[in-house]
Amino acid sequence: MSDLNKSTLLEIINLIKLKKISSLEITNHFIKNIEKSKNLNCFITTCFEKTIKSAKDFDAKKDFSGLLSGVPLAVKDLFCTKNTKTTAGSKILSNFIPTYESTVTDNLWSEGAILLGKLNCDEFAMGSSNETSFFGNTINPVGKNLVPGGSSGGSASALAANLTPATIGTDTGGSIRQPASFTGTVGLKPTYGLCSRWGIVAFASSLDQAGPMTKNVEDCALLLEAMSGYDEKDSTSINKKKENYSKNLNPKINGLKIGIPKEYRVENMPKEIDGLWKKGIDILKNSGAKIIDISLPHTKYALPTYYIVAPAEASSNLARYDGIKFGYRSIKGKNLIEMYENTRGEGFGDEVKRRVLIGTYVLSSGYYDAYYLKAQKVRRLIKNDFDKCFKGVDAILTPSTPSSAFKIGEKSNDPISMYLNDIFTVPVNLAGIPAISIPAGHDSKGYPLGLQLISKALDEQKILNLAFAMEKSIDFKQSFNRWWE
Ligand code: GLN
C-alpha cells in the first residue's frame, strides 16, 4: 500500500471505496500519528472511543453513498460538536459541551466523514499565530520554533503533519489562508453565505466564513462541495443549488483575465515574496491567461477598517459569556455584577479583552459615527473597488501573506505588527468574496510561501480551476522527517 502519510483526501476515499483499507484501519493510522505528535499541540480534544466506534459502524454498514465515506476528519474547535467539548480556544468555554451540531460539521458527517478531534485555535479565532489560545500555542511542523499562523493554526499544523487527511477552519480576516500559507497547504475562504455559520462560535458575524484546508486543490474542491449549502437556520445563508466543484475542476484557463493590483506591492515587502508573485504571474501567462494591471485604491484602509468592524461585532457577540447558562463561572464576587466581572475577567485572555475594549469604544455613543459608521462606509468603498475590477478581470492574483512563518513570541507583544500580517487577506472578508491560498514556493530559510487568487462572489469554481492549473506548474514539494515524534 502507498505511504498513507503522503496520501491525499481523495486517495484515502478511493482506498476505502475499493476496500483496500477499512475505515477503522485508516482511523487507527491517524490516531497513532496524533498520539506520537503531542509536541505540536494541535489538538484541544480527542474523542478516540467515539471515533473508533463510528469507524466500526461505517465498516459494518459500508454505505459508500457520501462524498467522504468513512474518512476521519479533525475540525477547528470553533465548530460546535454535539456531546463533544467545544472551547473556541478559550478558558470561558473550557467546559462547554454543546447539545447541538454545527451545520457545516453536520454536512461532513452526512457525507460519511467521522470526527477525529477538535483542533487548537486562537481564542475566539482572534489572532494570526495561534498564540492566544488558552490551551497553549501550536507548533508549525515546518520548524520547531515557528508559529503555524492563525487563527486556524491547529488545523493547518495537523494537516501538514498528517494528523488528519484534511480539515476545516474559519476565516474572518485570513484565518484559513494565512495558516495555509505558513504550512505549505491549501486553504479557501468561500463567499460569505456559501457555508452556514450556524453552530460556529461567533467572532465577527458579518465576516466569519468556514472553509476547507487540504493538501491539494482537488481535495479542496471536494471538501468545499461537502461542507457548503443553503441552511435555513442561518439568515445570511445563500439559497442556491449546490455546486459540483470537484467534478467541474478544469485546469484549462486559456483566455482568462487576471488582475494584478498595484496597491498590494507594499513597502518593505521581502524580495522573495515579490519574486514569488512574479513567478505566479509567469505561470499564469504561460498557461494562456492574460495579465492586466489593476488598481484597488482603498486597499490601504482595509486593515484599519477591519480592526474596527471585527472588534465591534466581537464585543457584541461576546456579551453572552456571563457565566450564567453555560461556560466558565468565577466563584469570586459578592453579588451578580461582581460574578459577571470576575467570570469575564478570568475567562477571557488578553487579546480577547483588547478586542472587547476596542469594540465597545468604537460603538459607544460619542465615537460611533467617527469610527464604526466611518468604517462601514469605507468597507463599502473597498467592496466597490473589487466590483469595478471584476468587470474587467476574472480573478486577482496576490501574495497570501507579507512574510513566511515567524518565530513563536516574535510578534506576540506587538499587536500592530501581528495585525499587519493580515494585510493581504482582510480586504476579501470585508468584500464578502472568495479567495484561495496555494503553496507556491519556499523562502531562503526553506519556509513555505503562498499565493492568493481572489474572484467575485460565488465564482469559487474559477479560482479553484486557476489554482488547479497553477498547482500543476508549481509542483510544490514538502516533506518532513517528523522531527516532533
Ligand atoms: N488575524 C485576524 C484577527 O486576529 C483574523 C482572524 C480570523 O480570520 N479569524 O482578527
Side-chain angles (χ1 to χ4, degrees), residues 231-403:
D231 178 15
E232 62 181 18
K233 289 190 285 204
D234 173 358
S235 61
T236 58
S237 174
I238 299 172
N239 193 350
K240 68 182 265 295
K241 220 178 94 232
K242 233 171 143 63
E243 301 271 340
N244 215 328
Y245 301 112
S246 53
K247 207 166 136 207
N248 295 331
L249 210 52
N250 182 352
K252 285 206 192 78
I253 56 166
N254 220 5
L256 288 185
K257 294 190 202 110
I258 312 298
I260 309 297
K262 64 169 189 267
E263 291 79 7
Y264 279 59
R265 203 152 269 131
V266 292
E267 240 177 86
N268 299 331
M269 185 151 83
K271 274 208 185 76
E272 288 159 329
I273 306 250
D274 208 35
L276 187 86
W277 199 5
K278 288 204 183 93
K279 177 175 136 187
I281 293 172
D282 286 342
I283 288 173
L284 287 170
K285 254 192 216 158
N286 293 338
S287 312
K290 213 172 149 215
I291 304 297
I292 298 173
D293 287 328
I294 57 165
S295 172
L296 295 162
H298 296 92
T299 300
K300 61 174 175 292
Y301 303 116
L303 209 57
T305 302
Y306 172 83
Y307 277 99
I308 291 174
V309 173
E313 294 184 18
S315 71
S316 160
N317 272 327
L318 269 56
R320 74 191 67 172
Y321 301 103
D322 56 6
I324 298 289
K325 288 201 179 128
F326 59 92
Y328 172 80
R329 178 190 297 175
S330 172
I331 49 164
K332 287 190 219 135
K334 293 189 290 295
N335 53 41
L336 185 65
I337 299 294
E338 282 183 21
M339 189 282 285
Y340 287 155
E341 287 170 354
N342 289 321
T343 293
R344 290 170 67 83
E346 293 162 23
F348 290 142
D350 287 349
E351 185 59 31
V352 173
K353 285 179 190 161
R354 184 179 294 124
R355 308 270 179 130
V356 171
L357 287 172
I358 296 172
T360 310
Y361 180 82
V362 300
L363 289 175
S364 61
S365 62
Y367 296 100
Y368 185 91
D369 289 1
Y371 291 103
Y372 183 68
L373 205 62
K374 181 67 88 33
Q376 292 289 40
K377 289 178 181 168
V378 180
R379 179 178 186 176
R380 168 59 61 163
L381 296 176
I382 290 165
K383 184 182 178 300
N384 289 351
D385 282 355
F386 279 111
D387 288 350
K388 214 164 130 197
C389 281
F390 286 124
K391 290 204 175 103
V393 299
D394 294 285
I396 294 170
L397 180 78
T398 75
S400 303
T401 54
S403 75

Side-chain angles (χ1 to χ4, degrees), residues 125-128 151 171-175 203 306-307 355 422:
M126 298 174 193
S128 309
S151 62
D171 191 314
T172 304
S175 277
F203 165 10
Y306 172 83
Y307 277 99
R355 308 270 179 130
D422 304 329

Side-chain angles (χ1 to χ4, degrees), residues 26 70 78 137-138 147 164 275 299 334 341 364 371 437 456 484:
I26 191 71
L78 211 67
N137 57 270
T138 296
V147 303
T164 181
T299 300
K334 293 189 290 295
E341 287 170 354
S364 61
Y371 291 103
S437 174
K456 69 173 192 288
W484 59 87

Side-chain angles (χ1 to χ4, degrees), residues 24 31 46-56 115-116:
L24 184 61
I31 290 179
T46 50
C47 45
F48 294 149
E49 256 174 52
K50 233 194 236 176
T51 310
I52 287 170
K53 184 179 175 306
S54 305
K56 283 184 179 162
L115 175 65
L116 190 53

Side-chain angles (χ1 to χ4, degrees), residues 40-43 74-77 118-122 128-130 138-142 146-170 174-188 211-215 405 437 448 478 480 482 484:
L40 295 178
N41 198 25
C42 291
F43 282 78
V75 302
K76 184 177 185 178
D77 204 18
K118 306 294 295 289
L119 294 162
N120 207 345
C121 56
D122 280 297
S128 309
S129 65
N130 218 110
T138 296
I139 293 174
N140 188 338
V142 169
L146 294 181
V147 303
S151 62
S152 312
S155 300
S157 273
L159 174 64
N162 272 300
L163 314 186
T164 181
T167 183
I168 55 172
T170 60
S175 277
I176 288 176
R177 291 159 288 155
Q178 185 250 21
S181 174
F182 279 13
T183 53
T185 56
V186 174
L188 186 144
M213 301 174 78
T214 56
K215 287 188 193 163
S437 174
Q478 174 163 269
F480 306 116
R482 304 188 74 78
W484 59 87

